[in-house]
Amino acid sequence: MAPDGNMTNGFKVVGTRPKRPDGIDKVTGRAKFGADATAPGMLHASIVRSPHAHAKILKIDTSKAEALKGVKAVVTRADFAEGLTGENWNILENVMASDTALYDGHAVAAVAATTALGARDAAKLIEVEYELLPHVTDVDKAMADDAPVIRAGAADKSVPEGLHPNVVRYHESGHGDVDKGFSEADLVVEDSFKTEATHQGYIEPHACLAQLGSDGKGEVWCCTQGHFNVQKVCAALVGTDSSQIRVTPSEIGGGFGGKTVVFIEPVALALSRKANRPVKLVMSRSEVFRATGPTASTSIDIKIGMTREGKITAAQGVFRLQGGAFPGAPMEFTAMCAFAPYSLENVHQVGYDVMSNRPKQAAYRAPGSPMAAFAVESVIDELCNKLDLDSIEVRLKNASKEGTKASYGPKFERIGLVETLEAAKAHPHLTSPLAEGQGRGVSCGFWFNHGGETAVSLALSEDGTVAISVGTPDIGGSRASMAQMAAEELGIPYESIRTTVADTATLGYNEISHGSRVTYASGLATIKAARDAVKKLCGRAAAKWGIDEDAVVWEDGCAKPSGPNAGDFEPLPLAKIARSMGRTGGPIVGHYEATPEGAGVSFATHIVDAEVDKETGQTKIVRYTVVQDAGKAIHPTYVEGQFQGGAAQGIGWALNEEYIYGEDGRLQNSGFLDYRIPVASDLPMIDTVIVEVPNPGHPYGVRGVGETSICPPLAAIANAVSNAAGVRLTELPMSPPRILAALDAQANG
Amino acid sequence: MDYHTPGSFEDAAAIAAKAEGVTRFLAGGTDVLVQLRADMVTPDVLIDIKQIAGVKDIAREEGGWRIGAAVSGAEMTEHNELDQEWPGVVEAMDLIGSTQIQGRATLVGNLCNGSPAADSVPALVAAGASVSVVGKSGTRKMPVEDIPAGPGKTNLEKGDVVSAVHLPARGDNAGDAYLRFIPRTEMDIAVVGCAVNLRLDGGKVIEARVSLGAVAPTVLLVEDAAQAIVGTSLDEAALEALAAAASSACNPIDDKRGTIAFRTHVAGVLAKRAAKIAYERAGGAK
């Protein structure tokens, strides 16, 4: 094997299913999550939050709280850095309101006390005087002329004149001539769609323990998808240098994008600095719902033209995303992903980023893409039904391939959409009979995937075992897959390698675990770090044998002379070289730092059967199959888990999950009782098919898999439900009252 | 917070009568402890009744059953005789919460929490169950339907404590059933609940009680719905009349769990479905 080359077969460890390294810790309860960190003298903190959707903060009186026994510090906005600009200002404004509370749950003050109950009691004693302002929580209403302005001047230069100040960013893309395309169609279908905000629903609430001295040196232990980002943001918000804040990530009880954001760590640091004690801050579930990022809610218009033979002649979409009280709703991703699965001559998409009095949206698994697929694939399903065409054949006919000019601009490299459609077509699910009251839906989905700044180091121990340090928190089994990739390169057993998610002082900057980037980017860096170590191992062998380094190769875990001309030496196994490394040149460490840019895009096709009780509007998902291109599945069990997890979260989003705001702008369902994520008995066993079309940008062909899996479910389920109910559902969630209302409306003409 | 563990219901009632501030009785704690943790209700006086003799017993009584105030749902579900006689009551209780909650939750707690959506209450009302209330002037019996007064409120007075639930003798050719609507399959709160209890004679319904939950400020006993099926063999016309009567008895609200239109319609659907199950359990062929 060439040391820098790609390999797509002949794997020994990659593609197998070894035991997960964190398994014992997690089943025994030994694993340390965010709230498990403690320190001597630790205080407990509580955050005071606005009960109003939009209100001017006239006065904050902390005197009664400060007088309470056990209270050691109270902070308000005045205790954070001043003069911030850009995104840091936005983050601070969200972490602690300045003069205006922008949503129900917006933090306005915080208190630290010797007990958690004491902190809670003290928080109640902080008196905040508000002047109520008009509010808006719906995306369409927030764009209307009479909508209250959330923040004047928040719009950037992309926004055309004449739009409401709540529209803060604008996107337009596409190619061809859609009017010409629509005129060539035999049928044009146009429809409007809405999706509600949903929460990532991670089981572990945000939690941290933080310490900050008057000298500006700080420590943070927290549950996050990206501790280097926590370091950077915390340093800015409390006004110290990045290198003075060391952040150590805990185990993570789910993130799904929602833990890419900083909420509580700067608050705990500010309290700690004031109290001169470590401070622990743990969110309640209600706080998680009210004040951490759900995804954006949307309002979408789609228009697609098709010939009788099923060729799409033109497609256009308008995507309005409400992202809460700050700019940043991922409308450009929505617009760019919408038609990506299809090779289109004429396509046009417009996106609006709209502010409202809701919590700042956060990334949620392929942010923006699932909603786009819901709208687009619903219209394609409608076209297939009306033209009596097969839904898989139509998608195959229009599918993007290598060389297709993507709807969002670039030419696709090698991609696997056709392969997922062919695998779906061949799957027994697609031809299995449906029972009375059941309907079937299919959908494709697309996500970009991401590379990002990455640093990995790989250190040999004297006994021949290996410690890998990565800077990307393990949210999907990456400790196992890193060990597998290193084992493959080094030729040593998987069990001889331990992967650790190292703190911010150990490695160079690592971007957050997001964008389905970890198996791709940290994986690539691990492979390259292993190759760097191998080069050094070969060097030691060469020195010992007195031959050129170039004359040594690495095979099966041993250094060997490259051929008869190189000399006749016994192969040197890794353990033997490691044992003497102190005497032969010092510690052997492989490392790699880069910003890899070859993350291959990924496509999936899902098949769903749903059963609708027409008397009650209740939906049961009776069968579900995920087919997705993984490029190369390093640990297939984890890949299947990602496929199933995306489908499960999609089922919740499609059927019952929603943010419900009252007339007063307050969130009505800030708990798992009334924010209805699916329970185990709501789900069928989700079948998976791994398609492997290698990504040319990764040494083993890996494509990220974590996000694409949530792109097709909303649409596939909507198509199944609409086909079962006999009426097109255009609004999510498709809750029983909504389905019953749609059936009623149809019955009453 | 004062915490008491009285040895008798008389003592419990006396402590409650004297108590100042917010008083709560603690049996399973599946409402009280949750409300405490959620910072909704912090009692000043907490009276734990689990130390009182007999509170965890299910016993025969006048041909029917006496179910102690601290009997958990799991114990009811595993009680074969009770389940054979009152499957509707047992299944209603069994629908509440998770396996862990079932190990703690009680009928009396479900009743005294005062929720219009309590699952076990419509089943108890349809069954014609009553409760023993120990108070200042001794022990009295009250029909279950007389306890709820509105969301979170009961007709019990300060110093009253419920010591047990009484189910009447089952008798022959009778059956009960409870159904609720939730958007999921478990771990949820009823959007609509309906219990039907009936007795047959030769395939004809001769007695019936129909109760609805979550469609009004309190659980309802719907006489018109019962009358719609008495004297019938639960034919299609009777079922439609039952559904219409159940729907017209509804006085629900629009909220995060369901709309007025949805609850009103589904009450009728569930009444029909529950009646059919009760009918089959009573030995009627369908």
Side-chain angles (χ1 to χ4, degrees):
Chain A
M1 184 194 73
D4 288 323
N6 287 4
M7 63 188 279
T8 52
N9 51 37
F11 293 109
K12 294 193 173 106
V13 188
V14 163
T16 64
R17 301 168 186 253
K19 276 187 199 153
R20 56 189 294 164
D22 53 338
I24 301 272
D25 278 357
K26 285 186 176 157
V27 298
T28 58
R30 196 168 61 194
K32 294 262 189 294
F33 290 89
D36 292 326
T38 58
M42 179 178 86
L43 302 175
H44 298 264
S46 182
I47 293 180
V48 180
R49 297 183 181 279
S50 166
H52 306 298
H54 198 191
K56 215 170 189 44
I57 301 167
L58 301 178
K59 191 180 158 196
I60 302 176
D61 183 351
T62 61
S63 56
K64 283 183 189 157
E66 279 165 307
L68 190 73
K69 190 166 180 280
V71 171
K72 301 293 180 190
V74 177
V75 295
T76 61
R77 178 61 176 270
D79 296 284
F80 294 86
E82 284 174 15
L84 298 182
T85 55
E87 189 55 13
N88 279 340
W89 182 86
N90 276 315
I91 296 170
L92 177 55
E93 192 65 21
N94 191 35
V95 162
M96 193 61 70
S98 54
D99 53 2
T100 309
L102 297 168
Y103 57 91
D104 168 34
H106 197 171
V108 296
V111 53
T114 48
T115 66
L117 274 178
R120 194 168 89 175
D121 288 344
K124 288 180 197 161
L125 293 175
I126 293 176
E127 291 167 1
V128 187
E129 210 177 301
Y130 295 101
E131 177 194 325
L132 296 197
L133 300 171
H135 66 268
V136 61
T137 56
D138 175 81
V139 61
D140 291 323
K141 288 179 187 162
M143 291 175 76
D145 290 343
D146 58 348
V149 176
I150 313 302
R151 177 155 51 89
D156 74 11
K157 280 182 276 194
S158 65
V159 181
E161 272 183 45
L163 290 169
H164 192 283
N166 289 341
V167 179
V168 289
R169 293 185 312 125
Y170 177 84
H171 166 94
E172 203 174 334
S173 58
H175 55 253
D177 179 346
V178 288
D179 290 333
K180 180 172 156 283
F182 287 128
S183 72
E184 288 162 9
D186 291 310
L187 180 65
V188 175
V189 169
E190 210 174 342
D191 215 337
S192 296
F193 300 84
K194 285 197 96 160
T195 68
E196 223 346 302
T198 53
H199 199 273
Q200 296 83 351
Y202 31 82
I203 288 304
E204 182 199 19
H206 300 261
C208 71
L209 171 64
Q211 189 171 322
L212 181 61
S214 54
D215 57 357
K217 285 193 172 64
E219 295 274 347
V220 179
W221 296 265
C222 66
C223 134
T224 176
Q225 285 176 246
H227 46 302
F228 289 88
N229 181 59
V230 172
Q231 177 192 40
K232 191 168 71 175
V233 170
C234 283
L237 268 54
V238 301
T240 188
D241 299 334
S242 273
S243 300
Q244 296 303 335
I245 304 272
R246 186 172 69 126
V247 185
T248 307
S250 68
E251 287 289 344
I252 182 165
F256 313 108
K259 287 178 184 163
T260 60
V261 186
V262 174
F263 299 107
I264 56 172
E265 292 81 2
V267 179
L269 284 167
L271 285 165
S272 172
R273 178 165 56 188
K274 218 162 177 181
N276 202 24
R277 302 258 289 264
V279 172
K280 182 168 178 166
L281 185 38
V282 181
M283 272 190 175
S284 68
R285 178 60 58 187
S286 166
E287 289 181 286
V288 170
F289 275 112
R290 287 169 70 207
T292 73
T295 187
S297 61
T298 72
S299 165
I300 298 173
D301 304 328
I302 298 294
K303 184 176 176 184
I304 300 176
M306 195 178 271
T307 65
R308 237 170 259 117
E309 294 73 37
K311 181 78 193 150
I312 298 173
T313 58
Q316 79 179 27
V318 178
F319 307 90
R320 306 168 197 89
L321 271 71
Q322 166 284 130
F326 298 88
M331 53 83 185
E332 59 276 74
F333 292 165
T334 309
M336 290 160 79
C337 291
F339 301 106
Y342 304 111
S343 175
L344 303 172
E345 275 179 39
N346 308 297
V347 60
H348 186 244
Q349 48 246 341
V350 171
Y352 297 91
D353 175 2
V354 185
M355 297 209 324
S356 77
N357 295 111
R358 293 194 186 207
K360 182 181 181 178
Q361 67 79 36
Y364 179 15
R365 232 175 167 154
S369 179
M371 306 82 127
F374 163 60
V376 169
E377 300 277 323
S378 289
V379 171
I380 290 176
D381 194 59
E382 203 61 29
L383 283 159
C384 291
N385 287 350
K386 287 189 168 147
L387 293 169
D388 197 24
L389 295 168
D390 180 83
S391 52
I392 294 278
E393 292 300 341
V394 163
R395 286 171 170 86
L396 272 170
K397 182 169 256 176
N398 295 286
S400 292
K401 304 177 184 68
E402 183 173 1
T404 297
K405 181 176 169 59
S407 57
Y408 59 91
K411 268 203 166 75
F412 282 123
E413 293 186 13
R414 184 79 182 92
I415 54 173
L417 175 60
V418 166
E419 286 80 354
T420 70
L421 282 161
E422 293 289 357
K425 195 171 147 184
H427 197 282
H429 183 169
L430 202 67
T431 46
S432 64
L434 288 167
E436 180 69 27
Q438 296 180 351
R440 180 164 295 151
V442 301
S443 172
C444 296
F446 162 82
W447 184 243
F448 308 99
N449 293 331
H450 182 58
E453 293 153 275
T454 309
V456 165
S457 97
L458 183 153
L460 269 59
S461 294
E462 274 195 341
D463 61 1
T465 62
V466 168
I468 303 174
S469 295
V470 297
T472 40
D474 180 356
I475 56 173
S478 54
R479 279 170 292 190
S481 57
M482 296 309 132
Q484 282 179 279
M485 287 185 260
E488 193 73 52
E489 290 293 324
L490 298 171
I492 61 172
Y494 167 82
E495 291 75 17
S496 298
I497 302 172
R498 176 170 173 177
T499 312
T500 299
V501 182
D503 65 54
T504 53
T506 308
L507 289 170
Y509 189 87
N510 273 268
E511 205 173 299
I512 299 167
S513 293
H514 66 165
S516 300
R517 78 179 206 89
V518 174
T519 314
Y520 165 70
S522 287
L524 179 147
T526 298
I527 292 166
K528 303 263 184 173
R531 289 176 184 175
D532 184 38
V534 161
K535 192 165 183 299
K536 290 167 182 167
L537 286 159
C538 289
R540 301 291 167 95
K544 182 180 168 111
W545 293 331
I547 63 175
D548 278 357
E549 267 185 50
D550 294 350
V552 180
V553 293
W554 191 259
E555 271 174 20
D556 302 324
C558 297
K560 294 175 184 170
S562 59
N565 292 342
D568 184 17
F569 303 103
E570 274 295 296
L572 265 176
L574 182 144
K576 207 162 178 184
I577 302 172
R579 201 180 309 142
S580 61
M581 64 188 170
R583 301 189 301 276
T584 60
I588 296 176
V589 181
H591 63 101
Y592 186 78
E593 295 82 18
T595 303
E597 285 170 355
V601 303
S602 162
F603 292 88
T605 301
H606 289 198
I607 315 168
V608 187
D609 297 350
E611 188 171 304
V612 175
D613 180 339
K614 289 191 181 182
E615 283 191 315
T616 64
Q618 186 157 39
T619 297
K620 190 174 180 214
I621 303 300
V622 291
R623 189 167 181 184
Y624 203 116
T625 304
V626 177
V627 186
Q628 186 177 320
D629 176 17
K632 175 67 198 172
I634 301 298
H635 192 305
T637 307
Y638 277 115
V639 171
E640 289 157 2
Q642 291 291 337
F643 288 8
Q644 292 168 323
Q649 288 188 310
I651 290 170
W653 194 341
L655 296 183
N656 284 307
E657 291 182 38
E658 61 178 320
Y659 263 51
I660 304 172
Y661 280 92
E663 288 293 310
D664 57 3
R666 287 179 186 165
L667 183 61
Q668 303 287 300
N669 57 335
S670 63
F672 278 135
L673 184 59
D674 289 307
Y675 181 88
R676 294 174 164 121
I677 64 168
V679 297
S681 54
D682 292 337
L683 304 173
M685 185 61 199
I686 295 161
D687 201 1
T688 56
V689 179
I690 300 174
V691 169
E692 294 184 322
V693 176
N695 166 24
H698 183 277
Y700 297 167
V702 165
R703 297 175 196 269
V705 296
E707 291 172 292
T708 303
S709 56
I710 204 173
C711 299
L714 311 185
I717 296 161
N719 291 340
V721 168
S722 298
N723 292 330
V727 56
R728 175 62 53 185
L729 275 303
T730 57
E731 233 175 288
L732 298 186
M734 295 176 285
S735 59
R738 202 166 264 155
I739 289 178
L740 218 49
L743 286 166
D744 269 1
Q746 190 192 42
N748 298 327
Chain B
M1 186 191 305
D2 291 332
Y3 175 74
H4 301 271
T5 54
S8 71
F9 279 103
E10 287 70 22
D11 288 352
I15 295 165
K18 279 191 294 188
E20 283 178 20
V22 178
T23 304
R24 286 286 186 278
F25 291 99
L26 182 67
T30 56
D31 287 311
V32 173
L33 297 182
V34 172
Q35 291 163 6
L36 181 67
R37 270 188 69 95
D39 208 14
M40 289 161 64
V41 179
T42 305
D44 300 296
V45 178
L46 196 56
I47 307 169
D48 187 339
I49 59 162
K50 288 195 291 296
Q51 307 301 317
I52 300 171
V55 287
K56 292 187 180 173
D57 294 346
I58 301 173
R60 272 287 177 203
E61 177 189 74
E62 296 168 6
W65 296 96
R66 180 186 190 284
I67 301 172
V71 169
S72 72
E75 286 169 286
M76 289 173 60
T77 305
E78 289 182 12
H79 198 291
N80 289 337
E81 269 186 286
L82 180 69
D83 188 35
Q84 268 167 18
E85 293 185 14
W86 294 103
V89 172
V90 172
E91 73 195 352
M93 187 66 202
D94 189 40
L95 286 173
I96 299 169
S98 60
T99 302
Q100 291 89 332
I101 293 295
Q102 280 292 316
R104 305 282 303 182
T106 68
L107 276 181
V108 172
N110 200 216
L111 175 62
C112 294
N113 187 48
S115 167
D119 286 307
S120 71
V121 179
L124 289 172
V125 168
S130 58
V131 293
S132 286
V133 181
V134 181
K136 277 174 284 210
S137 46
T139 302
R140 62 191 194 278
K141 268 198 180 177
M142 289 173 74
V144 168
E145 57 267 31
D146 288 353
I147 301 292
K153 296 195 179 76
T154 69
N155 289 312
L156 297 168
E157 285 166 24
K158 183 174 164 74
D160 280 347
V161 54
V162 176
S163 60
V165 173
H166 309 277
L167 283 168
R170 177 67 285 193
D172 297 330
N173 307 321
D176 71 333
Y178 174 78
L179 290 174
R180 70 171 181 186
F181 182 84
I182 57 170
R184 292 183 286 199
T185 48
E186 59 176 340
M187 305 287 285
D188 216 327
I189 285 187
V191 180
V192 181
C194 180
V196 176
N197 175 33
L198 49 74
R199 190 180 310 282
L200 303 181
D201 185 4
K204 272 211 157 39
V205 179
I206 53 166
E207 288 169 24
R209 283 168 72 89
V210 177
S211 177
L212 293 170
V215 294
T218 63
V219 169
L220 301 176
L221 176 63
V222 188
E223 184 58 28
D224 287 352
Q227 285 313 314
I229 56 171
V230 169
T232 76
S233 53
L234 217 60
D235 50 80
E236 214 34 60
L239 286 168
E240 286 311 317
L242 166 67
S247 290
S248 70
C250 294
N251 176 28
I253 52 169
D254 272 326
D255 73 359
K256 60 196 172 190
R257 292 180 187 140
T259 59
I260 291 171
F262 180 80
R263 287 185 157 112
T264 304
H265 173 79
V266 171
V269 174
L270 292 192
K272 286 196 286 188
R273 292 179 181 181
K276 283 191 210 170
I277 299 168
Y279 189 86
E280 275 179 31
R281 285 174 177 171
K286 267 281 145 196

